[in-house]
Amino acid sequence: MVEREIVVPGDLLSDDPRLASHGTYVEGGKVYSANYGLVDRRSNIKVIPLSGRYIPARGDLVIGKVDDVTFSNWIIDINSPYEGLLHVSEYPERVDQSNMSKYLHIGELIVAKVKDVDPTMKVELTLREEHLKILRQGRVIDISHTKIPRVIGRNGSMISMLKKELNCSIFVGQNGRIWLRGDEKMVDLAIRTIFKIEREAHTSGLTDNIKEYLTKELETLRSNK
Amino acid sequence: MSKPEKLIIDGKRLDGRGAQDLRPIKFKAGVLKRADGSCYLEFGGNKVIAAVYGPREVHPRHLQDASRAIVRYRYNMAPFSVEERKRPGPDRRSIEISKVSRESLECVILQEMYPRSAIDIFVEILQADAGTRVAGINAASVALADAGIPMKCLVSACAVGKVDDTLVLDLNKDEDNYGQADLPIAMTPSGDITLCQMDGHLTEDEFRTALEMAMEGCRYIHQLQKQALIEKYGQMVSPPAQEAPAAETAEVKEEIFKEDVEEFKEQEQQEQGGEANE
């Protein structure tokens, strides 16, 4: 694991403005941190924030909740300062516009893809792609979106371990929402584990720690049966 | 309370501090679970809690700005924060403080990154002991960073004043009430001043010295703010790469807490003496 360094906004990171990347800003030819987070100095300098709200970007897969239905759009809460719009034409089937809530009604959850975000932060979503669907079963939890990469793990190592060990279906949305389905006890354990990952996201050797934790918890579960 | 006869006796202030000393300060980041960012601060007798929400949707809608995030700041004193119960709710004073505090922080927030959104800052004064506006700014600044809001830098704030014709750093209640001048300052670590108010009279030379004193105080507070944020995650992460501490800061620390250091040394000696006796 690379040595990690916590910085606060305004900390000087480098004298080379060409290295500036996410979470930094350049002033007077020097790179400063714009965020409170961990510095990543591989290739270029970026600051990985420890907290913050989800800001949609094109291509993100998100879990959203239908907030409102208008005459041509569903308004989707995507756990962000900006609401998502799902236009009728982005629904996988032909939609009878006079009765839109027949297809998706308020409170329903969907896995959607961010089709486009314009500079005024109008967020367009779509359901017309593979994997995108309406979630009719299972459970959804919210965590901080900044911790999502740790839940997924390097090349999906963490999430595939969870799925295998607990025999659950899990879908992780880029916006910090996670959908789980499976045996109730196993889902409970999965949720506990994910919250543990969230709390310890900034530590090193996390996958191994979590593996250990899972093995132990699974044993107690089995012995209680 | 009646006016004390003298506010400075033999070069010491009523609470035993020298002219250049700050009151003890304690920051704690991330104390509120449901806020995006928060900070609790004890600044002498002041007890302040700051909460930050956002960026989030703006309500009412007409306040939205299509090019940047708007910043809202609410300074509020709890009715029980002062000796005589304060009428709850905003008054002329707290509205003014909210405005100047907002302006002192707004200029470091990278507002263009979140168009059409709002960043809400709430500062609650739970116990007041003079210098609540600077305490509020200090706490709000840490809470903003804790909320993950991109900023150019942290803002630190500190007051200077004149009592018994002497310039003193960080006024306490009596000094504030019966002193001759009060000059709250907020600034960035690079020395840009984002808040400067004055009440009372200072000569030009006094003002210059006072400003320098306040800036020293701010630099020290900045270290504490940074420390508080690092501590929030510090226990589990390898220690942050040590920056070479500037000789200047080290000196300031020593000076401001000279008494603390002496007291600590005495205690240490006593303890050692005790051990030897055993």
Side-chain angles (χ1 to χ4, degrees), chain A residues 128-139:
Chain A
R128 300 189 75 144
E129 245 171 82
E130 226 189 322
H131 314 302
L132 305 182
K133 59 187 170 195
I134 302 165
L135 300 171
R136 305 227 189 252
Q137 302 138 323
R139 281 195 262 171

Side-chain angles (χ1 to χ4, degrees), chain A residues 3-6 8-11 25 27 32-36 38 49-53 55 80-83 119-122 147 199-200 202-204, chain B residues 36 54-57 61 110 113-117 145-154 222 226 229-230 232-234 236-241 243:
Chain A
E3 184 91 347
R4 279 165 184 271
E5 172 194 348
I6 299 185
V8 302
D11 281 0
Y25 69 96
E27 206 170 85
Y32 297 91
S33 169
N35 256 321
Y36 163 43
L38 301 164
L50 288 163
S51 56
R53 302 296 300 274
I55 301 302
S80 149
Y82 308 106
E83 59 197 11
T120 65
M121 296 312 286
K122 186 174 137 201
K147 311 294 191 316
R199 279 197 310 276
E200 298 171 12
H202 54 287
T203 60
S204 45
Chain B
D36 292 313
R56 63 179 179 182
E57 243 183 297
R61 220 52 187 266
L110 301 172
M113 289 183 68
Y114 302 108
R116 293 202 297 121
S117 70
D146 182 40
I149 289 170
M151 296 190 280
K152 281 195 185 150
C153 52
L154 296 171
H222 179 253
K226 205 172 146 177
L229 286 165
I230 291 174
K232 189 183 164 191
Y233 287 99
M236 298 177 197
V237 194
S238 51
E243 281 177 52

Side-chain angles (χ1 to χ4, degrees), chain B residues 171-242:
Chain B
L171 300 172
N172 63 31
K173 194 125 207 162
D174 281 339
E175 291 166 344
D176 189 24
N177 291 350
Y178 308 112
Q180 295 151 294
D182 177 16
L183 176 70
I185 294 286
M187 66 168 223
T188 68
S190 54
D192 294 333
I193 290 169
T194 64
L195 169 118
C196 180
Q197 292 185 294
M198 183 162 89
D199 129 34
H201 300 279
L202 290 177
T203 65
E204 212 176 304
D205 283 342
E206 278 173 337
F207 182 82
R208 261 182 248 280
T209 329
L211 199 61
E212 203 35 65
M213 278 167 73
M215 287 169 101
E216 282 298 309
C218 288
R219 274 175 218 134
Y220 175 66
I221 290 167
H222 179 253
Q223 298 296 321
L224 296 180
Q225 289 175 308
K226 205 172 146 177
Q227 208 56 48
L229 286 165
I230 291 174
E231 258 165 34
K232 189 183 164 191
Y233 287 99
Q235 304 116 332
M236 298 177 197
V237 194
S238 51
Q242 205 77 62

